[in-house]
Amino acid sequence: MPSNQIKDNTHNNASQHRSAFSEPMYRRYFPASCFATLAVWIVRFLVGWTAWQLTHSAFWVGVVAAAMLLPTFLFSPVFGIISDRINPRNGLIVTVLSQGVIASFAGISHGLDILNLPLLMVIAVLLGVVTSAHQPIRLALVPRLIPRDALPSAIGYGAMLFNTSRIIGPAIGAWLVASYSESVAFYVASCFCLASIPSLISIKGVEPLKRERSSSFFNELIEGFVYAAAHPIIRLILCFTFINGLLGRTIMELLPAFSGQLLQGNAETLATLSAIAGAGSIAGGLLVSRQSGAPKRLIKLVNYCLMFAAVSLISIQFLSGLYQFCVLIFVLSLMTTVAGTGAQALAQLMVDDAYRGRVLSFWSMMAMGVPAVSAIAVGALAQAFGFPIVSAITAVCALCLLATLRFYTRADQIK
């Protein structure tokens, strides 16, 4: 049974900040992550752009996007079990190569003029399946490359890379489409995947975890759920992730509607807000990268950031004009990025190695699923009642949940 207490001075003086880049294996891994993440965002942009070009329908663009997301909910726990059984470095090589093959297939299909909507849907589903495997395997690999006290640094740098690529990747894709063609853009994304392989191959000394006994997939999945439910801090982390999804992550998903309803903005307005959100996310990742591996401090940081995000969301009632809303979006993006990456760091710090892949797949499902579902609900309510009142109610609900969690953490005597 996991302990109900956390101490700051455990595991090699975790209260001291340590950069992930001080570790040779992480320095080898990081270039591979850069290339692979850029490739993912280029391909995601191209799939969405191609869906629009084929249909000129916002509905079908949404369906294609959902096709890339749905496999994450269905298969992440399965791949979480697999990541607990295999060498995660080898698994990551397979997933990155698979992404490259899919991008090449899309490029060939477009070049032969056979890329229609049904085939694009197949490509989107395949990308979703590979992504549902890539995420838990990646999360299982990183802790094997660095000491425990460098985990917040690695996760913070990963968040910075993710959000920087979210801005740069579509820009590269758009330039390639405008200057050459969609086929060339898909091929370039495939080349980025291939470029990451040498760095992954250079990582040595990672082996599959030793297993005391073998069990069926179903039994291991149940064991993972039982472990997460019995672990007080894992439960707390999942609750934090749920609240984080209700707050800024949902607003980020609804930025087009947010911009249109509150600012009557155009495409340039949305681009400005999106860029501000990206800048806030990058700053949040940098802040987490400077944290130590002390769980108590991370819990306080996540809690305070969620509180500040909720209070900031209430301020929508009193704002007007693009500049004021830019400040709000920057703050929300900063706070919720810190909360999200801080929660992930806590999960990495607290989970036993034997359950790492499964627990982090649960975290991924929560981190991705809550914003997707709440975006539908908040969007529908905002359409009927307006963003100001819906945002205020959402923020008050979040504060009530945080107050309940504060009592819960006191009861568990986190030290």
Side-chain angles (χ1 to χ4, degrees), residues 2-39:
S3 171
N4 286 345
Q5 296 186 351
I6 302 177
K7 298 182 180 180
D8 278 349
N9 59 351
T10 59
H11 298 275
N12 300 323
N13 197 18
S15 62
Q16 300 298 316
H17 165 72
R18 183 169 182 171
S19 173
F21 284 113
S22 65
E23 303 302 318
M25 289 297 101
Y26 186 80
R27 292 198 299 270
R28 295 181 184 182
Y29 162 79
F30 192 75
S33 185
C34 290
F35 285 122
T37 306
L38 264 178

Side-chain angles (χ1 to χ4, degrees), residues 124-307:
V125 171
L126 290 175
L127 285 170
V129 172
V130 173
T131 300
S132 68
H134 181 85
Q135 182 76 343
I137 292 173
R138 179 184 67 83
L139 293 175
L141 174 63
V142 171
R144 308 279 292 277
L145 307 178
I146 55 177
R148 176 186 174 87
D149 53 353
L151 271 173
S153 172
I155 292 169
Y157 288 132
M160 292 172 62
L161 172 61
F162 179 87
N163 289 290
T164 302
S165 298
R166 185 172 65 178
I167 299 170
I168 296 174
I172 293 174
W175 175 77
L176 289 169
V177 169
S179 301
Y180 301 97
S181 68
E182 285 86 345
S183 295
V184 171
F186 276 119
Y187 294 145
V188 170
S190 182
C191 289
F192 277 142
C193 290
L194 291 176
S196 69
I197 299 303
S199 293
L200 291 175
I201 291 176
S202 71
I203 297 173
K204 307 295 183 181
V206 178
E207 300 293 339
L209 294 173
K210 294 182 178 179
R211 298 164 54 82
E212 296 180 358
R213 59 185 176 84
S214 60
S215 184
S216 69
F217 263 61
F218 179 77
N219 287 339
E220 289 199 21
L221 181 62
I222 297 301
E223 288 172 3
F225 278 118
V226 170
Y227 172 84
H231 198 305
I233 308 307
I234 298 298
R235 293 199 307 267
L236 178 64
I237 291 164
L238 294 177
C239 289
F240 278 153
T241 305
F242 176 84
I243 296 170
N244 195 44
L246 288 178
L247 295 171
R249 288 295 304 276
T250 297
I251 294 297
M252 298 307 120
E253 296 292 333
L254 292 171
L255 267 186
F258 183 94
S259 171
Q261 187 180 107
L262 294 180
L263 294 170
Q264 292 75 50
N266 53 21
E268 183 178 333
T269 306
L270 176 58
T272 299
L273 291 175
S274 298
I276 291 295
S281 295
I282 293 169
L286 179 61
L287 177 59
V288 174
S289 75
R290 303 302 302 168
Q291 301 303 308
S292 71
K296 179 182 176 182
R297 296 183 185 183
L298 284 171
I299 289 173
K300 286 184 176 179
L301 179 65
V302 172
N303 188 59
Y304 291 148
C305 283
L306 289 174
M307 291 175 60

Side-chain angles (χ1 to χ4, degrees), residues 304-322:
Y304 291 148
C305 283
L306 289 174
M307 291 175 60
F308 197 82
V311 173
S312 299
L313 196 56
I314 296 175
S315 71
I316 288 179
Q317 325 292 320
F318 313 107
L319 302 182
S320 63
L322 178 61

Side-chain angles (χ1 to χ4, degrees), residues 68-77 128-129 131-132 364-365 368:
M68 287 190 286
L69 180 63
L70 184 60
T72 302
F73 300 113
L74 297 178
F75 300 120
S76 281
V129 172
T131 300
S132 68
S364 296
M365 291 177 64
M368 298 179 66

